[in-house]
Amino acid sequence: MNAPHSSTPDIVIEARDVAKVYRVGDIEVHALRGVNLSIARGEFVAIMGASGSGKSTLMNVLGCLDRPTSGVYLLEGVDMAQQGEPALALVRSRRIGFVFQSFNLLNRTSAAENVALPLFYAGRAADSLARARAALGALGLQGRERNLPSQLSGGQQQRVAIARALVNDPAILLADEPTGNLDSQTANEIMSTIQALNRDQGLTVVLVTHEPDMAAFADRVVTMRDGRIVSDVRNRPPPLAATQAAAQRAAPADSTPLGLSFLRMAFAVASRAIARNKLRSALTMLGIFVGVAALITMVAVGQGANAAVTAQIESLGTNLLIVLPGAVTMGGARGGFGSASTLTVTDAEAIRREAPAVANVSYLIRQQGQVQFADKNWTTSIQGVTPSYFAIRNWPIAAGHMMTAEEETSAARVCLIGQTVYHNLFGAYENPIGATILVKNVPMQVIGLLQARGQTGFGQDQDDVVYIPFSTAQNKVLGVASPSQAQSSSAAQSSIYGAQTSPYVTAPNPFGIQPKLAGYVNIIYVQARDTALVQTAKREITQILAKRHRIEPGQAEDFNVRNISDITQAMEGSSRTMALLLAAVASISLLVGGIGIMNILLVSVTERTREIGIRMAIGARRTHILLQFLVEAVLLSGIGGVLGIVAGVAAAEAVSLVADWPTRISPLAIAGGFLFSAVVGIFFGFYPARRASRLNPIDALRYE
Ligand code: ADP
Ligand code: MG
């Protein structure tokens, strides 16, 4: 081996005893068996040798794409074995331009974009396209900037690859059989171009070829055989101009920050990848889409339900307590429940008299029955109430006047009707006030029309009702019902809060109390003096009734006192169940969606292994590759998330239309849904992205 007899040996490439062993199964392939080579700045060296002699292996080591198994490789005086991945990437980005025999251009990417790519990884994206055009122009490719590699001839593709290798002004050009695939005329043109770059611009060139004509362009020819250098011949000394120009290229590489422009490019690449596989991307987004939509709907429905419950509490009156007959536990009934009403008017009077925390008491009996007006009839709930009922239930009238105490004591034949009854008996514009209707065949004058109340949380129409004075009901309407009639009608009855009761069933009175006023009642309504006194009032009522009904301590009570929060709990409970269900759907969908993204990205990484290799070979750092795939993951999940938000808002609106439920679409939930999808993308995208970034450049390039 001859040392180069250069007068100013500014050595840029120095290999000392470099060996490379490939292990294929149990067999060791010695591709390089101790190569010693030093190349000075500004030289143009050709490496020749038969196929399989180790030329490409050596080039990969020189280009920092691969590491030698043993030996030392110094590039511009720096031992590359000591360098970490970012430093190697920096060298590939700034110091070396690599040209492959097989071009290795990115498909579906224009010539100009291919050439501009190294600028992004070098953090020099400003005017990148202009520089790419200039580089293409210098190689005679004006007007071909927008062509895809598939739209270019082999020679043109190779020139694009050379332009890409040169765009970052490298100090060294490494070309592995750049003319191997080309006809001799094109090959000669390309060799002339490379020679000119060496002569005029001082580019150090190392070029692999197995054709002597091509080697003739070089100043020095190194020949390899079986992993060793067997001859090193200098045809002529390097031209002085080249050596001088080369000295100016000696600027050391500085580190490059991750620019915004890189992120923009990553977004462009990711959106192109997503657009290329539309169906696959859409299916991948589906999980995130469903998850976020369910999340948004869940929050909207949940908040809407809460608002509905609150509104209902307010409409019922906050100080309200309800006493129901029968032993009822929350969420279920105990034995004997519903068999007979155990509450009487005298119970109600006792509560009014004896409970200090109670402000007002009313009571109610009711039956299903028919009402008639002219030729129209309607089956509704006929309820006998005392006048204070409407105040306690906080229920104003829309027209006419309220029931008076006089009408109650005189058992007047008057009634107040709800909106549903009004609509079914009267025409839309007819004034019901003063009209006489038949209530269970008893003529009654309508004195008032109640305001609309709407449905309860249980879907009961509160406006489908006729109210008459309690005494009238007892003495003239409901009270005249025969036991058998009452028996049959009791089946149709149901309390607005779910308790089935029937006051007129001729049940034995287990307590032997003879009520002074004959009647049993279905419900006693009690208003506490103050919201803070609701619990006190509840205790007092329980004590009074237990004493009157002679309930022994420990014995089950035959009545039930509930306040509004007890009642609304059931409703809140059901909305909570729905919210929980949606939350489960949301989280499972997000999980499945995340796994889908991970799966597709793993496929994508495998599909694009070569692309990753190319990107690394032209200077991409691991961080670049990691970010590129993360951006793709986030873009996938982000698009799914945004579509999910739109669908979720629409679904919430639909729910509110169908269920007549006010849904609240909170901006917080929308922001949360978006954030959630992005986090899922990052979380599940990280593993595939990391896998991509961990690829060895040369392994990735060799991947088929
Ligand atoms: P050349 O470029 O001179 O044709 P290479 O450097 O490609 O030769 O290959 C040198 C030797 O190493 C050959 O015997 C080849 O089979 C072997 N070789 C190259 N790459 C690998 C690899 N990735 N795995 C195993 N053996 C390899
Ligand atoms: Mg080769």
Side-chain angles (χ1 to χ4, degrees):
M1 274 169 284
N2 305 330
H5 20 90
S6 166
S7 52
T8 51
D10 177 11
I11 305 298
V12 286
I13 285 175
E14 185 161 13
R16 292 186 198 145
D17 214 18
V18 165
K20 179 75 188 178
V21 182
Y22 293 111
R23 213 170 292 272
V24 183
D26 291 341
I27 305 160
E28 286 189 346
V29 179
H30 291 265
L32 294 177
R33 301 170 187 261
V35 168
N36 288 290
L37 179 66
S38 71
I39 295 170
R41 206 176 283 285
E43 277 198 280
F44 186 169
V45 181
I47 298 179
M48 295 194 68
S51 178
S53 56
K55 307 181 296 291
S56 293
T57 306
L58 179 62
M59 288 298 268
N60 293 338
V61 169
L62 298 186
C64 296
L65 295 171
D66 208 355
R67 288 176 189 271
T69 314
S70 67
V72 177
Y73 169 46
L74 301 173
L75 181 84
E76 295 186 308
V78 180
D79 183 355
M80 285 296 127
Q82 309 295 320
Q83 302 297 305
E85 186 274 332
L88 291 178
L90 192 64
V91 165
R92 290 194 292 263
S93 167
R94 294 292 192 84
R95 307 308 293 155
I96 296 174
F98 208 105
V99 180
F100 303 88
Q101 177 172 2
S102 50
F103 318 141
N104 275 342
L105 298 175
L106 294 184
N107 307 322
R108 309 182 206 87
T109 308
S110 74
E113 281 174 293
N114 260 299
V115 173
L117 207 54
L119 293 167
F120 286 97
Y121 294 126
R124 296 169 166 176
D127 67 354
S128 59
L129 274 180
R131 289 170 70 167
R133 272 202 203 96
L136 283 169
L139 286 154
L141 285 173
Q142 294 98 333
R144 297 303 194 141
E145 291 89 352
R146 285 157 172 269
N147 288 46
L148 300 179
S150 57
Q151 297 164 333
L152 294 171
S153 73
Q156 286 169 329
Q157 288 187 54
Q158 191 59 292
R159 273 183 281 183
V160 172
I162 293 171
R164 182 180 66 183
L166 295 175
V167 76
N168 259 332
D169 291 324
I172 304 156
L173 181 72
L174 302 176
D176 190 355
E177 301 200 42
T179 56
N181 292 330
L182 308 176
D183 61 90
S184 59
Q185 198 204 325
T186 316
N188 273 317
E189 278 172 27
I190 286 187
M191 289 309 297
S192 305
T193 311
I194 292 176
Q195 193 177 43
L197 286 166
N198 168 257
R199 294 282 149 83
D200 306 341
Q201 297 178 27
L203 194 66
T204 308
V205 178
V206 183
L207 177 133
V208 170
T209 182
H210 54 251
E211 292 165 69
D213 320 4
M214 299 299 127
F217 283 90
D219 303 327
R220 176 182 162 197
V221 177
V222 172
T223 310
M224 294 187 71
R225 189 183 305 145
D226 295 334
R228 288 196 182 86
I229 291 178
V230 290
S231 87
D232 189 342
V233 179
R234 179 171 296 282
N235 300 334
R236 51 184 173 263
L240 192 62
T243 322
Q244 281 173 344
Q248 293 177 357
R249 290 185 174 253
D254 49 354
S255 81
T256 54
L258 285 174
L260 249 180
S261 54
F262 164 73
L263 276 182
R264 222 177 300 137
M265 180 200 68
F267 264 102
V269 169
S271 31
R272 224 178 296 167
I274 288 169
R276 196 154 58 227
N277 301 300
K278 286 194 189 63
L279 180 65
R280 185 168 98 178
S281 306
L283 291 175
T284 308
M285 289 168 193
L286 205 59
I288 303 290
F289 169 80
V290 172
V292 170
L295 189 84
I296 300 281
T297 317
M298 171 190 80
V299 173
V301 168
Q303 290 192 344
N306 277 348
V309 167
T310 310
Q312 205 139 24
I313 291 173
E314 275 158 14
S315 81
L316 284 169
T318 42
N319 305 348
L320 188 64
L321 285 152
I322 288 168
V323 188
L324 295 169
V328 183
T329 52
M330 280 303 293
R334 284 211 293 266
F337 161 72
S339 55
S341 178
T342 55
L343 293 176
T344 62
V345 173
T346 47
D347 284 337
E349 296 303 336
I351 292 168
R352 191 203 303 280
R353 260 193 331 269
E354 295 169 25
V358 168
N360 212 342
V361 176
S362 177
Y363 40 87
L364 172 153
I365 54 169
R366 61 171 162 201
Q367 237 173 55
Q368 289 294 113
Q370 215 173 48
V371 290
Q372 283 169 266
F373 178 71
D375 59 342
K376 297 196 185 95
N377 59 61
W378 179 247
T379 302
T380 184
S381 175
I382 298 157
Q383 311 200 355
V385 294
T386 54
S388 55
Y389 175 83
F390 301 97
I392 291 173
R393 289 216 49 196
N394 191 19
W395 198 344
I397 46 170
H401 72 85
M402 272 297 177
M403 190 185 291
T404 63
E406 207 282 321
E407 283 160 344
E408 160 67 16
T409 45
S410 66
R413 292 185 178 194
V414 294
C415 66
L416 289 104
I417 59 175
Q419 292 285 342
T420 305
V421 172
Y422 166 58
H423 290 302
N424 283 289
L425 289 191
F426 298 89
Y429 305 105
E430 221 167 316
N431 181 11
I433 308 301
T436 298
I437 62 171
L438 291 177
V439 178
K440 291 198 87 176
N441 288 322
V442 181
M444 300 260 177
Q445 193 186 23
V446 178
I447 55 165
L449 172 64
L450 289 158
Q451 281 188 5
R453 257 289 157 94
Q455 303 218 324
T456 64
F458 302 95
Q460 230 171 24
D461 182 4
Q462 299 184 78
D463 298 319
D464 191 3
V465 69
V466 170
Y467 287 110
I468 55 180
F470 184 83
S471 50
T472 314
Q474 187 169 255
N475 302 337
K476 294 174 179 165
V477 184
L478 308 183
V480 297
S482 72
S484 67
Q485 265 181 315
Q487 195 87 47
S488 62
S489 69
S490 74
Q493 284 185 26
S494 84
S495 138
I496 54 165
Y497 297 117
Q500 286 233 332
T501 51
S502 162
Y504 293 105
V505 175
T506 48
N509 183 343
F511 309 106
I513 296 169
Q514 289 303 317
K516 267 188 244 140
L517 300 166
Y520 288 97
V521 300
N522 290 123
I523 303 173
I524 300 175
Y525 288 86
V526 181
Q527 192 175 31
R529 283 191 193 285
D530 189 90
T531 313
L533 288 175
V534 167
Q535 287 309 322
T536 314
K538 189 173 173 175
R539 229 173 12 252
E540 289 170 0
I541 295 164
T542 308
Q543 273 169 12
I544 291 163
L545 290 183
K547 196 167 139 230
R548 289 178 56 81
H549 293 192
R550 300 189 187 162
I551 310 277
E552 302 293 331
Q555 204 180 340
E557 288 154 359
D558 62 344
F559 59 88
N560 201 284
V561 188
R562 297 193 202 171
N563 62 20
I564 293 302
S565 67
D566 294 337
I567 294 158
T568 51
Q569 244 169 31
M571 234 185 101
E572 281 179 335
S574 66
S575 81
R576 206 175 301 133
T577 312
M578 186 159 168
L580 269 177
L581 207 76
L582 280 167
V585 170
S587 44
I588 290 171
S589 300
L590 285 175
L591 184 74
V592 170
I595 293 170
I597 287 180
M598 183 145 100
N599 183 33
I600 276 308
L601 278 185
L602 283 173
V603 170
S604 180
V605 167
T606 310
E607 276 178 356
R608 287 153 65 187
T609 302
R610 257 180 84 80
E611 178 194 320
I612 294 165
I614 294 169
R615 287 175 185 276
M616 284 178 160
I618 61 173
R621 280 165 54 186
R622 276 183 184 160
T623 322
H624 288 121
I625 303 293
L626 183 87
L627 279 177
Q628 186 189 321
F629 279 90
L630 270 188
V631 162
E632 193 172 327
V634 170
L635 209 58
L636 270 173
S637 65
I639 294 172
V642 167
L643 294 177
I645 288 171
V646 173
V649 169
E653 292 294 338
V655 165
S656 87
L657 265 179
V658 171
D660 199 18
W661 219 337
T663 50
R664 300 257 165 103
I665 289 150
S666 78
L668 203 70
I670 289 177
F674 188 73
L675 204 75
F676 225 21
S677 56
V679 166
V680 166
I682 290 173
F683 184 81
F684 286 96
F686 189 78
Y687 175 68
R690 201 179 122 90
R691 223 166 117 134
S693 74
R694 288 282 149 151
L695 286 171
N696 198 11
I698 195 67
D699 293 338
L701 271 174
R702 281 198 195 113
Y703 186 86
E704 289 302 331

PDB file of all heavy atoms in Angstrom, residues 51-52 54-57 101 176-177 208, ligand 2:
ATOM      1  N   SER A  51     -17.017  -7.594  -7.708  1.00  0.00           N
ATOM      2  CA  SER A  51     -18.216  -7.616  -6.887  1.00  0.00           C
ATOM      3  C   SER A  51     -17.976  -8.480  -5.661  1.00  0.00           C
ATOM      4  O   SER A  51     -17.352  -9.545  -5.760  1.00  0.00           O
ATOM      5  CB  SER A  51     -19.375  -8.169  -7.722  1.00  0.00           C
ATOM      6  OG  SER A  51     -20.519  -8.223  -6.921  1.00  0.00           O
ATOM      7  N   GLY A  52     -18.397  -8.007  -4.498  1.00  0.00           N
ATOM      8  CA  GLY A  52     -18.221  -8.759  -3.261  1.00  0.00           C
ATOM      9  C   GLY A  52     -16.877  -8.535  -2.611  1.00  0.00           C
ATOM     10  O   GLY A  52     -16.549  -9.176  -1.610  1.00  0.00           O
ATOM     11  N   GLY A  54     -15.983  -5.891  -1.025  1.00  0.00           N
ATOM     12  CA  GLY A  54     -16.108  -5.096   0.196  1.00  0.00           C
ATOM     13  C   GLY A  54     -16.166  -3.602  -0.037  1.00  0.00           C
ATOM     14  O   GLY A  54     -16.080  -2.803   0.910  1.00  0.00           O
ATOM     15  N   LYS A  55     -16.353  -3.178  -1.287  1.00  0.00           N
ATOM     16  CA  LYS A  55     -16.356  -1.739  -1.599  1.00  0.00           C
ATOM     17  C   LYS A  55     -17.509  -1.019  -0.893  1.00  0.00           C
ATOM     18  O   LYS A  55     -17.319   0.003  -0.245  1.00  0.00           O
ATOM     19  CB  LYS A  55     -16.472  -1.534  -3.122  1.00  0.00           C
ATOM     20  CG  LYS A  55     -15.448  -2.281  -3.944  1.00  0.00           C
ATOM     21  CD  LYS A  55     -15.588  -2.016  -5.425  1.00  0.00           C
ATOM     22  CE  LYS A  55     -16.916  -2.501  -6.008  1.00  0.00           C
ATOM     23  NZ  LYS A  55     -17.069  -3.963  -6.059  1.00  0.00           N
ATOM     24  N   SER A  56     -18.708  -1.584  -1.041  1.00  0.00           N
ATOM     25  CA  SER A  56     -19.876  -0.928  -0.436  1.00  0.00           C
ATOM     26  C   SER A  56     -19.760  -0.914   1.076  1.00  0.00           C
ATOM     27  O   SER A  56     -20.112   0.078   1.733  1.00  0.00           O
ATOM     28  CB  SER A  56     -21.157  -1.651  -0.846  1.00  0.00           C
ATOM     29  OG  SER A  56     -21.368  -1.490  -2.225  1.00  0.00           O
ATOM     30  N   THR A  57     -19.277  -2.013   1.631  1.00  0.00           N
ATOM     31  CA  THR A  57     -19.118  -2.078   3.081  1.00  0.00           C
ATOM     32  C   THR A  57     -18.190  -0.959   3.560  1.00  0.00           C
ATOM     33  O   THR A  57     -18.484  -0.264   4.541  1.00  0.00           O
ATOM     34  CB  THR A  57     -18.557  -3.454   3.468  1.00  0.00           C
ATOM     35  OG1 THR A  57     -19.402  -4.463   2.914  1.00  0.00           O
ATOM     36  CG2 THR A  57     -18.495  -3.611   4.968  1.00  0.00           C
ATOM     37  N   GLN A 101     -25.902   3.748  -5.483  1.00  0.00           N
ATOM     38  CA  GLN A 101     -26.046   3.157  -6.804  1.00  0.00           C
ATOM     39  C   GLN A 101     -27.513   3.132  -7.225  1.00  0.00           C
ATOM     40  O   GLN A 101     -27.856   3.404  -8.367  1.00  0.00           O
ATOM     41  CB  GLN A 101     -25.500   1.728  -6.766  1.00  0.00           C
ATOM     42  CG  GLN A 101     -25.663   1.002  -8.085  1.00  0.00           C
ATOM     43  CD  GLN A 101     -24.952  -0.329  -8.074  1.00  0.00           C
ATOM     44  OE1 GLN A 101     -24.374  -0.735  -7.072  1.00  0.00           O
ATOM     45  NE2 GLN A 101     -24.978  -1.008  -9.203  1.00  0.00           N
ATOM     46  N   ASP A 176     -21.347   5.517  -4.313  1.00  0.00           N
ATOM     47  CA  ASP A 176     -21.183   4.063  -4.448  1.00  0.00           C
ATOM     48  C   ASP A 176     -21.760   3.621  -5.792  1.00  0.00           C
ATOM     49  O   ASP A 176     -22.969   3.528  -5.946  1.00  0.00           O
ATOM     50  CB  ASP A 176     -21.912   3.366  -3.287  1.00  0.00           C
ATOM     51  CG  ASP A 176     -21.590   1.887  -3.234  1.00  0.00           C
ATOM     52  OD1 ASP A 176     -20.888   1.398  -4.143  1.00  0.00           O
ATOM     53  OD2 ASP A 176     -22.050   1.229  -2.276  1.00  0.00           O
ATOM     54  N   GLU A 177     -20.901   3.405  -6.754  1.00  0.00           N
ATOM     55  CA  GLU A 177     -21.293   3.030  -8.117  1.00  0.00           C
ATOM     56  C   GLU A 177     -22.414   3.917  -8.643  1.00  0.00           C
ATOM     57  O   GLU A 177     -23.493   3.444  -9.009  1.00  0.00           O
ATOM     58  CB  GLU A 177     -21.717   1.550  -8.162  1.00  0.00           C
ATOM     59  CG  GLU A 177     -20.597   0.644  -7.699  1.00  0.00           C
ATOM     60  CD  GLU A 177     -20.774  -0.786  -8.179  1.00  0.00           C
ATOM     61  OE1 GLU A 177     -21.159  -0.944  -9.344  1.00  0.00           O
ATOM     62  OE2 GLU A 177     -20.514  -1.711  -7.409  1.00  0.00           O
ATOM     63  N   VAL A 208     -16.924   4.704  -5.897  1.00  0.00           N
ATOM     64  CA  VAL A 208     -16.775   3.272  -6.166  1.00  0.00           C
ATOM     65  C   VAL A 208     -17.235   2.992  -7.589  1.00  0.00           C
ATOM     66  O   VAL A 208     -18.276   3.485  -8.024  1.00  0.00           O
ATOM     67  CB  VAL A 208     -17.615   2.443  -5.174  1.00  0.00           C
ATOM     68  CG1 VAL A 208     -17.664   0.976  -5.613  1.00  0.00           C
ATOM     69  CG2 VAL A 208     -17.057   2.552  -3.774  1.00  0.00           C
TER      70      VAL A 208
HETATM   71 MG    MG B   2     -21.503  -2.781  -3.776  1.00  0.00          MG
END
